[in-house]
């Protein structure tokens, strides 16, 4: 029996990669419908962009409209309080180009996220039930910021370094970014990502390129110091952000993300906290006045 199973696996592998005499029909591959949940919670912010959807067979072309669920029964629990989730309908999203609408987004009216609290989401749809827990990390406090510039180089370009000194908490993850990169409300990592091993004074740095020739003028950017809960690093270490669509054919321990949504579903439900500081720097102009 073991040799028979091994032959089947090899045949599927060859069929996916190079053809195994007879192509495998996607309809014949096993499919289990599951819920898909995505939520990032931040202190001081409302809950208005929790995504709830479902998996689709690989024989069916993906679309937001097909995958989104609009009639789920869901809530978020904080302590003994339950906050129902309401479907928002198509939501205009201007963060992408071309501008379009997002579907599958839910909101918990009047719920404002608090730092260092635990939240649990529970979603029910048809016969499926899934849940996940998020812990909001402490808001990082920046003690001081240093700005330095390398360059200009041969073509007039330089590198701006913005370093933030702060006290990191043990087991909490940190990263930095700036609005130069148009940091969005997703799971973007930013730069200088690490997980603190102990509570101690430390530093994170973000960099970006600027033009340094011509007349120097003062400019500014929003520097972001981001704290991530420990569960995010388990997801990151499992390759969660590197998963490719074709990984479904030959899943391995490395390629299967460690979701923190459990039950009849997959997905992420994490806590994150961001501190934003306005930082000034100098850049060049293309011509002198």
């Amino acid at each position: 029996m073991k040799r028979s199973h091994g032959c089947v696996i090899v045949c599927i592998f060859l069929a996916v990669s190079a053809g195994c005499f007879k192509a495998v029909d996607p309809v014949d591959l096993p499919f289990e419908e599951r819920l898909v949940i995505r939520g990032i919670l931040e202190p001081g912010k409302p809950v208005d962009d929790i995504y709830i959807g479902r998996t689709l067979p690989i024989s069916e072309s993906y679309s937001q409209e097909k995958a989104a669920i609009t009639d789920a029964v869901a809530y978020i629990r904080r302590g003994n309080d339950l906050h129902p989730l309401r479907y928002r309908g198509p939501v205009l999203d201007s963060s992408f180009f071309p501008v379009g609408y997002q579907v599958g987004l839910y909101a918990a009216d009047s719920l404002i996220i608090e730092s260092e609290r635990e939240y649990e989401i529970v979603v029910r749809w048809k016969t499926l039930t899934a849940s996940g827990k998020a812990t909001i990390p402490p808001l990082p406090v920046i003690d001081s910021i240093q700005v330095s510039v390398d360059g200009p180089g041969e073509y007039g370009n330089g590198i701006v370094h913005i370093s933030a000194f702060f006290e990191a908490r043990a087991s909490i993850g940190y990263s930095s970014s700036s609005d130069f990169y148009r940091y969005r409300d997703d799971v973007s990592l930013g730069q200088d990502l690490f997980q603190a091993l102990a509570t101690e004074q430390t530093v994170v740095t973000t960099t970006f390129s600027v033009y340094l020739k011509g007349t120097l003028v003062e400019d500014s950017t929003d520097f972001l110091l981001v704290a991530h809960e420990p569960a995010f690093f388990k997801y990151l270490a499992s390759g969660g952000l590197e998963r490719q669509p074709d990984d479904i054919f030959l899943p391995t321990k490395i390629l299967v993300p460690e979701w923190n949504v459990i039950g009849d579903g997959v997905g992420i439900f994490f806590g994150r906290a961001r501190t934003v500081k306005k930082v000034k720097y100098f850049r060049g102009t293309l011509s002198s006045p």
Side-chain angles (χ1 to χ4, degrees), residues 125-129 264:
W125 183 70
K126 292 184 176 180
T127 61
L128 305 177
T129 301
D264 302 319

Side-chain angles (χ1 to χ4, degrees), residues 186-190 193 232 235-244 255 257-259 268 270:
D186 55 16
V187 292
S188 299
L189 299 182
L193 176 73
F232 172 78
Y235 169 73
L236 177 65
S238 67
L241 296 182
E242 301 170 3
R243 183 174 171 84
Q244 300 298 318
L255 295 175
E258 187 169 339
W259 313 111
I268 57 176
F270 294 134

